[in-house]
Amino acid sequence: MIHVSAPPGRPYHEYTMDIRFHGAAGEVTGSCHLVEVAGRRILLDCGLIQGGRKDEARNRDAFPFDPKRIDAVVLSHAHIDHSGRIPLLIRAGFAGPVHTHRASRDLCRIMLKDAGYLNEKDAEWENRKRQRKGLKPVAPIYTMQDAIDAMRRFRGMAYDRKTEILPGIDVRLRDAGHILGSSIVELWLAERGQRRKLVFSGDLGHRGAPILRDPTPVADADLVVMESTYGDRLHRSRQETRAELAEVIANSRAESGNILIPAFAVGRTQETLYHLATNYDAWGLADWQIFLDSPMAIEATEVYLRHTDLYDREAAALWDGNRHRKLLPNLTFSRTGRQSMQLNRVRSGAIIIAGSGMCNGGRIRHHLKHNVWRGNCHVVIVGFQARGTLGRALVDGAKHIRLWGETIRVAAKIHTIGGLSAHADQAGLLGWYKRFEGRPPVVLVHGEPQASSALQAELRQIANAPIHIAGPGARVDLMDMKQLFTA
């Protein structure tokens, strides 16, 4: 794990071109990296920390830098662990623009507002308990209005257009294939005649995944900052994934049970709907009631339908013209709380897609409460589950879970469908890196230690260059790249 600092006799303020890692360093969530060049400071991402209560409590900590001194944010994509602290950054004094793909801007308008709503509800719930104990109330991390106000800072960009965002800093976004609008960020940095190119992978998509195009290869870089979420594993093939989903549906039909799919509102939900649509006849889905029980996922799906120019060829042909209801004639959107509660009466024959993706909040928790103790229930996990989350507990084989103070037995069958992941697996990450000319140095972020270490070992087999894992607060001096070879 790299912890690069200033050599003796050289104070930090003389470092005029560097990057410091303040989030998703040694963990998956909370992406946040500070780049300084030519007296300017930009953040790559500013995401929420997700996980257990102790992890999420860190979102209330002061930023490890002065938000008033940040000139701009470059946001790789809309997922909340990359975007979720932007309203908080603004409230702390940041007054600059947020540059991101135009589709990410549209998704953030939904996701940040929802995060603000959840913050308000969490504070309301906590304050009821604090009032009974005679304690002072707490304020939300930020509110819905904070999130709405934050959108005024967003500046939409297109893929593949190099733009100067500040003196000495040019940016180009490339398609990362992870979710709609997700971007690989190319940064050209200039200071006193020195030039460096930094490439930030953001989150890379799984090659061959439906709807979106594959991650764009990048030819050159002086330093690659690269995610490592699934750096220690390979996903199942698409054929195996379809077969496994077909088996889950067949078994659930035979057992007269329900299928619960905790899904992130952006990305996993749309891909899950796509799989159901393309296999509608083969899987006998006409016999089922299919529910999308997430107002945010419904809104996000509508955003996906407005950006069909970002689809791959097959998805563009299938989803053209907003044909969701024709593709899935038995799909019902559950927008209201009352509509959601009515699903608790359905004892069999329902496929319920609901957030949150890690089961730490949202309507999926209510459906788990009413179904997970039943042996004929199937829970299909389709996305990454961070440490400390309820979803991770289910994946790890928990026999009991706690919901609203009640202990509930887990009798449902839990299925982890790795082939539906929005992240590249180890082979995908290695394949993307191999497209760089000259095998540049790499700093790994956005991975749990085991995953990052495994990817580091594999990269060292193919690159005659330093491969480091970022620790919290680690700094790399881009003016003196030799340090990477000795750190």
Side-chain angles (χ1 to χ4, degrees), residues 200-242:
F200 172 44
S201 72
D203 285 357
L204 296 172
H206 186 19
R207 187 173 177 82
I211 304 177
L212 302 179
R213 297 186 283 262
D214 291 341
T216 304
V218 180
D220 61 303
D222 292 303
L223 179 67
V224 179
V225 177
M226 185 174 172
E227 71 126 319
S228 54
T229 314
Y230 284 119
D232 60 342
R233 69 195 76 176
L234 300 176
H235 297 322
R236 293 183 181 92
S237 70
R238 293 289 163 183
Q239 292 77 12
E240 291 173 319
T241 297
R242 283 193 290 271

Side-chain angles (χ1 to χ4, degrees), residues 70-82:
I70 302 300
D71 296 288
V73 174
V74 179
L75 176 63
S76 66
H77 65 287
H79 273 153
I80 213 70
D81 63 318
H82 292 255

Side-chain angles (χ1 to χ4, degrees), residues 79 107 179-180 210-212 263-277 292 294 296-305 311 319 324 328 353:
H79 273 153
L107 290 172
I179 63 170
L180 195 76
I211 304 177
L212 302 179
F264 299 103
V266 178
R268 294 311 85 225
T269 290
Q270 291 74 36
E271 186 173 338
T272 299
L273 290 174
Y274 183 92
H275 278 289
L276 296 178
L292 179 54
S294 167
M296 184 167 67
I298 293 167
E299 288 186 74
T301 299
E302 291 166 350
V303 171
Y304 263 67
L305 291 169
Y311 293 2
W319 283 34
H324 268 102
L328 288 169
I353 306 166

